[in-house]
């Protein structure tokens, strides 16, 4: 295989590795989406878990959920490594290539002038196209080799992360099976769900206090009215009794005068 064939191979390999880079990003994002979905399922089951249900079912459910959560955290570490490793090498931009070619042409012109002034110390002049081809050959070779190593490392992390995700789905499926079969969901229609509204409860407490206060005030008013009524009834009786006593005491005096 000659140099031109190798140049074509390195160029194709370079663009292939750049395409692999984009595919790795997409693969990692899909894996992250699976992890987020798994955590959403876990958070829902924990939020709706009925702790008054079967003790053994709840225990096994929490064990499987804990195992799945730990494995998912391990998968996140691998996925972060696969997603954050982005140090790639790229070929020079067209502007940089053109500047390099311009420098080569200028350097050859200077060599031509030098050779004309110093024929006894003639310097060899390289062809610009050959130099440019070697320059791009080296760049494609270096970049494709470096990017291949980077993609291999990222692919390994992405593959390990996906393996950990698959491992986490097994205990999660067991936990979901227990959650469904043993009816641990508090929102299940087969259960009587007691809905407690904090605001309503607070208002009921305040209303109860006001009713009790009203009752106490009413009882006080009743007692005061009874006392007033008793006083009104007692005063006429006392006045009549005093009049009777005065009349009884006056009769003997009249009898004495008549005698």
């Amino acid at each position: 295989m000659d140099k031109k064939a190798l140049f074509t191979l390195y160029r194709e390999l370079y663009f292939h590795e750049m395409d692999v880079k984009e595919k790795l990003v997409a693969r990692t994002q899909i894996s992250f989406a699976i992890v987020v979905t798994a955590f959403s399922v876990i958070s829902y089951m924990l939020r709706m878990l009925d702790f008054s249900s079967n003790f053994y079912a709840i225990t096994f459910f929490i064990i499987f959920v804990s195992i799945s959560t730990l494995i998912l955290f391990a998968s996140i570490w691998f996925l972060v490594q696969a997603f954050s490793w982005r140090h790639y090498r790229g070929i020079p931009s067209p502007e940089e290539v053109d500047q390099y070619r311009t420098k080569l042409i200028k350097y050859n012109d200077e060599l031509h002038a030098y050779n004309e002034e110093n024929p006894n110390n003639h310097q060899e002049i390289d062809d610009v196209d050959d130099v440019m081809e070697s320059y791009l050959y080296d760049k494609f070779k270096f970049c494709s080799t470096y990017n291949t190593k980077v993609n291999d490392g990222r692919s390994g992390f992405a593959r390990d992360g996906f393996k950990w995700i698959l491992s986490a789905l097994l205990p999660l499926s067991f936990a979901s099976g227990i959650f469904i079969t043993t009816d641990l969901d508090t929102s299940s229609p087969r259960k009587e769900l007691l809905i407690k509204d904090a605001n309503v409860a607070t208002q009921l407490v305040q209303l109860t206090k006001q009713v009790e206060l009203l009752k106490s005030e009413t009882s006080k008013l009743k007692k005061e009215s009874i006392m007033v009524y008793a006083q009104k009834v007692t005063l006429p009786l006392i006045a009549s009794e005093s009049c009777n006593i005065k009349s009884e005491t006056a009769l003997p005096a009249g009898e004495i005068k008549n005698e």
Side-chain angles (χ1 to χ4, degrees), residues 11 46 57 68 114 132 139 144 168 179 193 210 237 251:
R11 184 178 60 187
L46 290 176
S68 178
Y114 178 81
M132 288 297 300
K139 289 296 182 180
S144 59
F179 186 80
L193 182 61
Q210 291 177 359
L237 291 175
L251 288 174

Side-chain angles (χ1 to χ4, degrees), residues 126-257:
D126 296 326
D127 184 67
V128 174
D129 293 335
D130 292 339
V131 175
M132 288 297 300
E133 185 177 354
S134 298
Y135 171 74
L136 294 176
Y137 173 87
D138 293 335
K139 289 296 182 180
F140 275 114
K141 178 182 177 182
F142 171 76
C143 293
S144 59
T145 302
Y146 185 87
N147 294 341
T148 299
K149 294 179 180 179
V150 173
N151 284 333
D152 289 342
R154 291 186 64 189
S155 297
F157 282 118
R159 182 174 56 254
D160 291 339
F162 191 72
K163 287 181 180 179
W164 282 98
I165 291 174
L166 293 178
S167 300
L169 293 180
L170 182 62
L172 181 59
S173 62
F174 288 151
S176 301
I178 294 172
F179 186 80
I180 294 172
T181 55
T182 58
D183 201 16
L184 297 179
D185 193 351
T186 56
S187 63
S188 175
R190 294 187 294 272
K191 294 183 178 181
E192 294 181 359
L193 182 61
L194 180 61
I195 302 175
K196 294 183 179 180
D197 193 331
N199 293 327
V200 174
T202 304
Q203 292 177 2
L204 288 175
V205 171
Q206 293 178 355
L207 183 60
T208 303
K209 291 181 178 180
Q210 291 177 359
V211 170
E212 291 179 354
L213 181 61
L214 184 61
K215 286 181 178 180
S216 63
E217 293 294 333
T218 305
S219 62
K220 288 181 180 179
L221 289 174
K222 286 182 178 180
K223 291 180 180 180
E224 290 178 357
S225 61
I226 292 170
M227 292 177 64
V228 170
Y229 178 76
Q231 290 177 359
K232 290 181 178 180
V233 172
T234 305
L235 288 175
L237 291 175
I238 295 173
S240 61
E241 289 179 358
S242 62
C243 290
N244 293 331
I245 292 171
K246 289 180 179 180
S247 61
E248 289 177 358
T249 52
L251 288 174
E255 292 177 358
I256 294 171
K257 289 181 179 181

Side-chain angles (χ1 to χ4, degrees), residues 31-148:
S31 298
F32 270 119
I34 296 174
V35 172
V36 171
T37 303
F39 274 118
S40 299
V41 173
I42 291 173
S43 63
Y44 171 80
M45 291 190 297
L46 290 176
R47 184 170 58 87
M48 303 302 294
L49 181 61
D50 185 7
F51 289 95
S52 62
S53 298
N54 186 275
F55 172 77
Y56 296 101
I58 295 175
T59 301
F60 282 108
F61 170 78
I62 293 176
I63 290 173
F64 284 124
V65 166
S66 301
I67 295 172
S68 178
T69 302
L70 292 176
I71 297 175
L72 285 174
F73 277 118
S75 68
I76 290 174
W77 185 86
F78 285 101
L79 294 178
V80 168
Q81 297 299 319
F83 194 77
S84 61
W85 194 1
R86 302 180 183 177
H87 303 290
Y88 284 85
R89 294 291 183 269
I91 60 173
S93 64
E95 184 178 0
E96 292 175 351
V97 174
D98 189 66
Q99 288 178 357
Y100 183 73
R101 188 174 183 277
T102 302
K103 289 180 181 179
L104 288 176
I105 294 173
K106 183 179 180 180
Y107 178 71
N108 284 348
D109 292 341
E110 292 176 354
L111 284 180
H112 276 294
Y114 178 81
N115 290 334
E116 289 178 358
E117 294 176 359
N118 302 281
N120 297 327
N121 190 17
H122 185 271
Q123 300 292 327
E124 184 178 357
I125 300 176
D126 296 326
D127 184 67
V128 174
D129 293 335
D130 292 339
V131 175
M132 288 297 300
E133 185 177 354
S134 298
Y135 171 74
L136 294 176
Y137 173 87
D138 293 335
K139 289 296 182 180
F140 275 114
K141 178 182 177 182
F142 171 76
C143 293
S144 59
T145 302
Y146 185 87
N147 294 341
T148 299

